[in-house]
């Protein structure tokens, strides 16, 4: 079971939602097989952490290179984001 729900999937982007009731232990370090730019829908205090970096705000678009380790860090409320694959 994945810690998120894909609400909309097209060949250009995915709209993904992380429920506010998620257990933070489910938000594991992982890598993806393509470059991604993550853009928040709304405002949030959730954070994104890239390998060898401190957690950072997700309130602006973030580029995640292919095969780079990263994870989401839980904040308050529901996290909704748009993922552009390239």
């Amino acid at each position: 079971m994945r810690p998120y729900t894909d609400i909309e999937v097209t060949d250009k982007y995915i709209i993904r939602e992380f429920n506010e009731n998620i257990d933070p232990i489910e938000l594991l370090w992982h890598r993806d097989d393509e470059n991604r730019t993550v853009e928040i829908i709304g405002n949030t205090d959730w954070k994104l952490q890239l390998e060898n970096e401190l957690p950072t705000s997700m309130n602006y678009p973030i580029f995640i290179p292919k095969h780079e380790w990263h994870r989401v860090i839980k904040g308050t409320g529901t996290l909704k984001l748009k993922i552009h694959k390239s």
Side-chain angles (χ1 to χ4, degrees), residues 66-83:
K66 173 172 72 169
H67 297 146
E68 181 163 344
W69 287 99
H70 61 282
R71 69 177 176 158
V72 175
I73 298 173
K74 185 179 178 186
T76 55
T78 297
L79 172 65
K80 193 175 203 181
L81 47 88
K82 188 175 200 178
I83 302 169

Side-chain angles (χ1 to χ4, degrees), residues 35-84:
N35 292 325
R36 292 180 171 205
T37 300
V38 177
E39 180 181 352
I40 296 307
I41 299 173
N43 289 314
T44 187
D45 64 347
W46 289 57
K47 296 188 182 297
L48 182 75
Q49 185 173 13
L50 301 176
E51 183 176 21
N52 297 319
E53 293 186 24
L54 294 172
T56 186
S57 167
M58 296 181 76
N59 286 311
Y60 56 90
I62 300 172
F63 177 74
I64 305 170
K66 173 172 72 169
H67 297 146
E68 181 163 344
W69 287 99
H70 61 282
R71 69 177 176 158
V72 175
I73 298 173
K74 185 179 178 186
T76 55
T78 297
L79 172 65
K80 193 175 203 181
L81 47 88
K82 188 175 200 178
I83 302 169
H84 304 271

Side-chain angles (χ1 to χ4, degrees), residues 18-24 26 46 74 77-78:
F18 292 82
N19 188 287
E20 66 185 324
N21 297 321
I22 190 169
D23 184 340
E26 295 183 64
W46 289 57
K74 185 179 178 186
T78 297

